[in-house]
C-alpha cells in the first residue's frame, strides 16, 4: 500500500500542531511551576505513544519562538518549561490563535 506524500505531510503537520496544543495545556495546568520533559512526556504519550524527547523539545522551541513558553536548561541538560501570559491567553481562549497550533473550537 502506497501512502500519498501529501497525506503523510498533512498527518505530520496535524501531529505537530496537536502536540503544541497539548504542551500549552499541560504547562497551563502546572503553572505557576515549570515542568520538565520527564513530567510532560507521559501526558503526551496518552495521545502519541511513540513521542520522543527530541520531538517534545522541537515543539517547545517552536512555542518559545512564538513567546508562548519559556525554556530553562540547567547545566546537566534538563529542560524545564513554563507557560507565558500569551500562552495562558491562548489556552483560556481570550485571544485568537495563529496558525500552527491545533486549538479545538470553543463551544
Amino acid at each position: 500500500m502506497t501512502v500519498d506524500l501529501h497525506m503523510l505531510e498533512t498527518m505530520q503537520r496535524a501531529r505537530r500542531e496537536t502536540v503544541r496544543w497539548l504542551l500549552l495545556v499541560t504547562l497551563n495546568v502546572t503553572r505557576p511551576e515549570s515542568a520538565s520533559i520527564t513530567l510532560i512526556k507521559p501526558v503526551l504519550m496518552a495521545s502519541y505513544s511513540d513521542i520522543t524527547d527530541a520531538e517534545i523539545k522541537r515543539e517547545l522551541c517552536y512555542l518559545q519562538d512564538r513567546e508562548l513558553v519559556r525554556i530553562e536548561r540547567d547545566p546537566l541538560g534538563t529542560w524545564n518549561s513554563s507557560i507565558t501570559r500569551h500562552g495562558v491567553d491562548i489556552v483560556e481562549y481570550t485571544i485568537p490563535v495563529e496558525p500552527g497550533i491545533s486549538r479545538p473550537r470553543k463551544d
Side-chain angles (χ1 to χ4, degrees):
M1 177 162 64
T2 305
V3 176
D4 180 11
L5 183 58
H6 177 69
M7 180 185 289
L8 181 61
E9 290 171 352
T10 301
M11 290 171 48
Q12 290 172 337
R13 185 182 76 236
R15 178 180 170 126
R16 285 191 307 271
E17 292 178 0
T18 301
V19 166
R20 293 169 189 160
W21 172 249
L22 294 172
L23 284 167
L24 288 173
V25 171
T26 302
L27 294 174
N28 189 52
V29 170
T30 66
R31 75 181 167 103
E33 302 299 324
S34 62
S36 67
I37 301 289
T38 305
L39 180 90
I40 294 169
K41 188 173 182 178
V43 175
L44 296 179
M45 287 183 76
S47 296
Y48 297 104
S49 61
D50 62 340
I51 196 154
T52 64
D53 290 3
E55 185 177 3
I56 295 168
K57 289 177 180 181
R58 182 180 63 236
E59 301 314 330
L60 283 170
C61 287
Y62 173 90
L63 293 170
Q64 180 175 255
D65 288 346
R66 292 188 49 183
E67 300 179 354
L68 301 175
V69 303
R70 275 187 234 76
I71 301 169
E72 298 168 8
R73 297 170 184 96
D74 72 17
L76 298 176
T78 302
W79 287 40
N80 287 294
S81 303
S82 57
I83 194 167
T84 66
R85 67 180 184 88
H86 297 294
V88 171
D89 288 341
I90 286 176
V91 172
E92 293 181 348
Y93 291 81
T94 56
I95 61 172
V97 65
E98 295 177 6
I101 298 171
S102 184
R103 179 174 73 177
R105 291 178 54 152
K106 186 175 181 182
D107 295 327

